[in-house]
């Protein structure tokens, strides 16, 4: 079966992938040390630099300072210091103080987090900036910031003290269930090496107590220009002027001649597998991980590159099998996948991870090990090999077609890897030729041999994770021994392949006709009304040569359902997806689409049902065939339903163990009421789900094409696309009577009701380690007459609040790591005339014992903004951030797709898409022009209750205090004042004893979340 797409007129363009000639590749040929396409060099002081001109996106530059210094270099008393240095860089340098670097970058439109960030790993620290370069001075200023990071970070006791709280909060964020599981796995993998005890986040003791001198010594010892590289990729007129800027800002810096050698820390090998049973009471479910460690392979020659392709094909083929096993009638696990990851500088691993039912880890482990043994005994089939070959060929073809449209951030990351890990950068043209030459020569037997690297005797680590202990290490070792015996006896049967149909559609539909066509020249959109009533619009772009993205929507969703049907129908998309919504089981469809780039997904929302997807231009026909199948397939419940419901129940049980889920559930209940639509799904709700009702509802959701509007954006040729649209979208049969046809003005609104009074509530939850999360919410109601502008005001206000909360709670008080602001405007139905209701919420995590104080700080800052307004600098920063995001978006297909859909769904839409689009654009520009401290102050008073302290809700997640903690707290508080009367003390103790008795009784009955 030929899995490669056939040639079409869409493929006949200059520099087409298939016209590339094969290389006469000598396997011993060196790939070269010089990175491709970049001005690469080294200053006299040892600093490396990489500079490349790239216009995607326009007028932007992706910058980085890469440092070969990470947590593995720390001494015992320095554990966590590498990460602390990274924090201090944004806090204060010789030139900038009090987080002025962050304020400066925000002032030019580089938002904190998204466009200015850093990361510390065991082996390196990387500082990254993404900045505009449409003004001559901006690039120089940004490079000067990196120069400050390199040698000028200020480390004083005052600076350190201000940043401890933020670092401590980041540390606290790693002490949840996910963090504990990751830490334990890291220790198991790195056992016997220094890496095992050098997690980048460090230890609580060091974070709280380390001195400025110790931090300064680490910084001075390892931050040398010889250990660093500056990478600059962006829309530069030339590279030499950028090199000169680097020379200007870095050239006068010096490094000592006696630089310390960065040690290579080895990880010991082992023959016997390291086995662990990890019990995590807050785990999201049961899981099994099988890892095999090995030294990082050299990538120097064509042979090395070929070996990399073989490895990639092995992982792809293995993942195909693991997915198919998970879709069996009685699967041993819910999901399972394999990947390769570089753990540290000297070591990589293959890791197979699976999630399974509770008490199902033994079965999951046995299945994983059996499959690896099956591959070693019988190998992969020729069809499996052809499938993964086609997948890789499709991926490299896509990369080749978009070789001139690569994002600057992606190129920056490539050059970082070249500096940090000596990974060659050969250029996409040469890499495409290499793959096209090498892939056809790789045999199934070569791919299968890679299973030898995943033997349990090859540095293997096996780990199970369970919320409640059900297996032991000996149980796991017995499974290993059992599979080894079966393999030795060759008692494992070969893989049984499924029949794979050749075509997605067996009988192609007749073409529909175009009954009306409109051209909206102001936005470059063509709109078609098809004979079956479906509205389709398309916009041709040249942002990416191998991308077409699309989405369709129809009004009428879950808000129309009575409570008796709600839970069944809300499961419709999940159940139908596992059965197969395109006429085939997911495992079969996966093989049918091998070598094609086309995917479609569905969503059932409150007010709309939608489908969306993307594809390569050459696979547009395949994507539209999937949409046709979606509308013409009748999904019927089968054996898959039992597995789906079992997975759903496991997910609900996991949520019940998770403190954050209890918190989120209570937030919804406080803010939106206890309606069935907002309350969390429970096990007894799942037991009432009727699969027939779920499938019937799903079928009806995607039945009537006349109710749907579809937008298509990307590299499409209208001469090719229009006939396909007419055949596969216009050919969808329209039912004789309308199905789920709703007017947007007649939809049922959600049962949303924000409290009329102040609510301050603490949710106490049992936790392994103390966590705290805060959500502070305010009701929002936007009036119909000024809706267009008000929605844009909400967007600007949310960005302002996020920026100010960070300035106050992190930079001023130093007590949080990050703050977020979220907006919900779905409290009313999307009618053309009604008001819009919802809420705006401030979210952050912090030390549990200061959470209420931080809430008060947040309220005080919001009240100050309502009464005084923001500063001119604040206004300038949020305008810049919004404008830069808008400019970036204008170069993205997804951004245009969203704007077109918003224009159709706007209350201003009355049949003219172009006018609706212009009204929204005009509203945005009007708000931008009007923004000032005064207008923002007025908007804060108008949109959020004024004063803000009169109407809000705050819900705080806090750890449940144990009986011991309560007693200890009592005696600590009473011991401070012995002058109180003895009778008061006795009475207090009596009340405390009664309280403790009640708490214990409650604990016996149930675990209170």
């Amino acid at each position: 079966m030929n899995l490669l797409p056939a040639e079409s007129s869409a493929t006949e363009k200059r520099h087409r992938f298939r016209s590339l000639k094969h290389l006469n590749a000598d396997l011993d040929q060196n790939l070269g040390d010089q990175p491709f396409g970049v001005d690469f060099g080294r200053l006299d002081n040892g600093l490396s630099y990489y500079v490349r001109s790239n216009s995607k996106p326009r007028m932007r530059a992706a910058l980085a300072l890469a440092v070969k210094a990470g947590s593995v270099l720390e001494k015992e008393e320095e554990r966590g210091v590498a990460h602390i240095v990274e924090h201090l860089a944004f806090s204060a340098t010789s030139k900038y103080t009090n987080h002025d670097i962050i304020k400066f970058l925000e002032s030019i439109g580089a938002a904190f987090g998204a466009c200015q960030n850093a990361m510390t790993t065991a082996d390196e620290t990387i500082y990254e900036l993404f900045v505009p370069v449409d003004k001559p001075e901006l690039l120089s200023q940004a490079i000067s910031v990196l120069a400050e990071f390199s040698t000028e970070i200020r480390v004083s006791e005052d600076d350190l003290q201000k940043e401890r709280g933020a670092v401590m909060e980041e540390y606290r964020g790693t002490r949840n269930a996910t963090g504990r599981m990751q830490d334990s796995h890291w220790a198991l993998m790195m056992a016997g090496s220094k890496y095992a005890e050098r997690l980048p986040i460090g230890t609580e003791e060091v974070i709280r107590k380390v001195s400025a001198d110790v931090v300064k010594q680490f910084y001075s010892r390892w931050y040398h220009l010889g250990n660093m590289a500056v990478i600059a990729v962006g829309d530069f007129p030339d590279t030499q002027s950028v090199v000169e800027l680097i020379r200007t800002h870095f050239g006068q810096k010096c490094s000592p001649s006696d630089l310390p050698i960065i040690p290579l820390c080895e990880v010991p090998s082992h023959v016997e597998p390291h086995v662990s049973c990890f019990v995590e009471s807050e785990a999201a479910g049961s899981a099994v991980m099988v890892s095999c460690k090995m030294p990082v392979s050299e990538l120097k020659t064509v042979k090395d590159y070929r070996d990399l392709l073989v490895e990639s094909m092995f992982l792809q083929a293995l993942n195909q099998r693991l997915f198919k096993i998970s879709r069996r009638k009685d699967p041993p696990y819910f999901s399972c996948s394999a990947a390769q990851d570089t753990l540290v500088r000297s070591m990589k691993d293959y890791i197979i991870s699976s999630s399974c039912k509770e008490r199902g880890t033994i079965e999951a482990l046995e299945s994983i090990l059996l499959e690896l043994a099956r591959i070693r005994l019988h190998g992969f089939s020729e069809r499996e090999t052809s499938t993964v070959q086609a997948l890789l060929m499709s991926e490299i073809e896509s990369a080749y077609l978009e070789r001139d449209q690569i994002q600057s951030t992606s190129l920056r990351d490539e050059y970082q890897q070249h500096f940090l890990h000596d990974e060659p950068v050969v250029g996409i043209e040469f890499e495409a030729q290499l793959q096209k030459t090498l892939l056809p020569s790789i045999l199934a037997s070569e791919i299968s041999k890679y299973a030898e690297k995943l033997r349990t005797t090859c540095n293997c680590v096996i780990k199970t994770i369970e919320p409640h202990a059900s297996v032991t290490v000996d149980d796991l070792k017995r499974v290993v021994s059992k599979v080894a015996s079966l393999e030795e006896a060759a008692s494992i049967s070969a893989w049984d392949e499924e029949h794979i149909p050749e075509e997605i559609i067996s009988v192609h539909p007749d073409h529909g006709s175009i009954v009306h066509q409109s051209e909206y020249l102001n936005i470059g959109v063509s709109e078609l009304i098809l004979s079956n009533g479906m509205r389709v619009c398309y916009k041709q772009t040249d942002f990416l040569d191998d991308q077409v993205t699309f989405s369709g929507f129809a009004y009428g969703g879950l808000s129309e359902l009575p409570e008796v049907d709600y839970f069944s129908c809300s499961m419709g998309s999940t159940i139908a997806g596992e059965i197969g919504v395109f006429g085939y089981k997911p495992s079969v469809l996966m093989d049918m689409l091998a070598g094609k780039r086309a995917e479609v997904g569905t969503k059932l929302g409150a007010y709309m049902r939608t489908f969306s997807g993307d594809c390569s231009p050459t696979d547009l026909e395949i994507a539209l065939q999937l949409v046709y199948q979606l509308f013409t397939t009748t999904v019927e419940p089968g054996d898959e339903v039992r597995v789906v419901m079992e997975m759903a129940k496991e997910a609900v049980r996991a949520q019940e163990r998770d403190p954050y889920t209890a918190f989120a559930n209570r937030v919804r209940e406080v803010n939106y009421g206890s309606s069935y639509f907002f309350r969390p799904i429970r096990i007894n709700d799942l037991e009432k789900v009727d699969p027939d009702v779920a499938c019937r509802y799903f079928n009806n959701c995607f039945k009537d094409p006349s109710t749907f509007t579809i937008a298509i954006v990307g590299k499409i040729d209208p001469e090719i696309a229009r006939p396909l649209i007419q055949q596969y979208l216009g050919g969808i049969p329209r039912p004789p009577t309308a199905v789920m046809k709703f007017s947007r003005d007649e939809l049922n609104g959600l049962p949303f009701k924000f409290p009329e009074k102040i609510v301050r509530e603490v949710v106490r939850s049992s936790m392994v380690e103390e966590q705290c999360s805060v959500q502070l919410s305010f009701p929002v109601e936007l009036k119909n007459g000024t809706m267009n502008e008000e929605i844009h005001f909400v967007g600007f206000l949310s960005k302002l609040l996020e920026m100010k909360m960070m300035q106050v709670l992190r930079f001023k008080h130093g007590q949080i790591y990050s703050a977020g602001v979220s907006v919900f405007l779905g409290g009313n139905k999307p009618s053309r005339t009604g008001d819009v209701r919802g809420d705006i919420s401030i979210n952050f995590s912090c030390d549990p014992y200061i959470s209420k104080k931080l809430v008060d700080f947040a309220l005080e800052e919001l009240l100050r903004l309502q009464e005084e307004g923001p500063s001119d600098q604040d206004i300038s920063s949020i305008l810049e951030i919004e404008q830069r995001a808008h400019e970036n978006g204008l170069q993205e297909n997804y951004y245009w797709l969203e704007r077109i859909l918003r224009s159709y769904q706007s209350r201003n839409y009355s049949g003219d898409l172009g006018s609706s689009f212009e009204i929204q654009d005009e509203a945005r520009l009007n708000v931008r022009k009007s923004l000032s401290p005064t207008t923002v102050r007025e908007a804060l008073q108008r949109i959020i209750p004024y004063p803000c302290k009169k109407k809000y809700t705050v819900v705080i997640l806090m750890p449940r205090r144990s009986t011991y903690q309560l007693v200890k707290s009592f005696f600590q508080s009473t011991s401070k004042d012995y002058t109180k009367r003895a009778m008061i003390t006795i009475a207090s103790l009596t009340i405390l004893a009664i309280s403790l008795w009640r708490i214990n009784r409650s604990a016996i009955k149930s675990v209170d979340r």
Side-chain angles (χ1 to χ4, degrees), residues 846-866:
C846 63
D847 184 327
Y849 303 105
I850 61 169
S851 56
K852 294 178 182 178
K853 181 173 71 173
L854 296 188
V855 168
D856 291 338
F857 286 156
L859 286 169
E860 287 293 340
E861 177 61 16
L862 179 51
L863 182 60
R864 187 193 68 77
L865 290 169
Q866 286 184 314

Side-chain angles (χ1 to χ4, degrees), residues 671-876:
N671 289 352
Y672 309 146
S674 57
S675 162
Y676 63 89
F677 198 91
F678 291 115
R679 73 171 172 81
I681 195 166
R682 304 185 181 96
I683 295 292
N684 62 339
D685 296 320
L686 292 175
E687 290 171 348
K688 298 173 187 175
V689 168
D690 185 332
D692 290 301
V693 172
C695 291
R696 188 162 56 247
Y697 178 73
F698 182 86
N699 292 331
N700 285 336
C701 281
F702 302 98
K703 180 68 69 179
D704 189 342
S706 69
T707 63
F708 274 82
T709 297
I710 300 175
I712 307 172
V713 177
K715 189 72 172 179
I716 54 176
D717 181 346
E719 295 301 313
I720 296 172
R722 285 165 66 99
L724 297 177
I725 289 170
Q726 287 180 248
Q727 181 172 19
Y728 297 112
L729 299 184
I732 298 171
R734 183 174 183 172
T737 57
V739 178
M740 291 188 70
K741 192 175 184 70
F742 294 93
S743 164
R744 62 180 291 173
D745 297 314
E746 297 171 0
L747 297 174
N748 294 323
L750 295 180
F752 170 88
K753 186 172 177 60
F754 199 90
E756 291 297 325
K757 60 182 181 179
I758 295 172
V759 177
R760 293 179 72 111
E761 187 169 312
V762 172
V763 175
R764 292 204 177 269
S765 181
S766 299
M767 301 177 188
V768 177
E769 297 187 58
E770 290 186 343
Q771 301 281 314
C772 177
S773 190
V774 176
Q775 179 155 326
L776 174 61
S777 305
F778 305 89
V780 170
E781 187 165 353
L782 309 180
K783 298 300 181 182
N784 179 46
T786 56
M787 186 66 63
N788 295 317
E789 285 77 12
E790 292 292 74
I791 285 178
H792 287 288
F793 262 117
V794 168
F796 282 107
L797 294 184
S798 64
K799 186 60 203 173
L800 172 69
L801 289 178
E802 188 170 278
M803 188 169 69
K804 299 307 288 184
M805 290 302 126
M806 284 293 288
Q807 288 178 8
V808 171
L809 300 183
R810 177 168 174 177
F811 304 148
K812 180 180 178 180
H813 294 289
Q815 296 297 343
I816 68 167
Y817 176 59
S818 65
V821 174
S822 56
V823 177
F824 167 69
L825 296 177
N828 275 17
K829 61 185 179 181
S831 72
R832 292 182 177 88
T833 57
D835 297 337
V836 168
R837 293 189 303 151
D839 62 29
I840 186 165
S841 299
I842 299 166
N843 314 276
F844 57 87
S845 297
C846 63
D847 184 327
Y849 303 105
I850 61 169
S851 56
K852 294 178 182 178
K853 181 173 71 173
L854 296 188
V855 168
D856 291 338
F857 286 156
L859 286 169
E860 287 293 340
E861 177 61 16
L862 179 51
L863 182 60
R864 187 193 68 77
L865 290 169
Q866 286 184 314
E867 292 177 343
E868 302 174 14
S871 68
D872 289 326
Q873 182 59 58
D874 292 332
I875 298 297
S876 176

Side-chain angles (χ1 to χ4, degrees), residues 139-181:
L139 180 59
S140 179
Q141 290 172 314
I143 291 175
S144 77
V145 167
L146 296 182
E148 290 286 297
F149 292 163
S150 68
T151 59
E152 306 300 323
I153 297 175
R154 198 177 73 190
V155 185
S156 69
E157 287 295 345
D158 186 49
D159 296 323
L160 185 55
Q161 196 57 36
K162 285 180 180 178
E163 203 61 27
R164 284 189 205 273
V167 179
M168 191 61 222
E169 195 48 45
E170 189 176 357
Y171 172 85
R172 195 191 317 279
T174 69
R175 306 316 305 151
N176 55 18
T178 302
R180 287 189 295 273
M181 290 186 288

Side-chain angles (χ1 to χ4, degrees), residues 542-559:
D542 58 2
F543 305 137
L544 290 171
D545 283 342
D546 199 46
Q547 185 185 70
V548 176
T549 183
F550 55 89
S551 186
F553 74 93
Y555 287 110
L558 298 172
S559 73

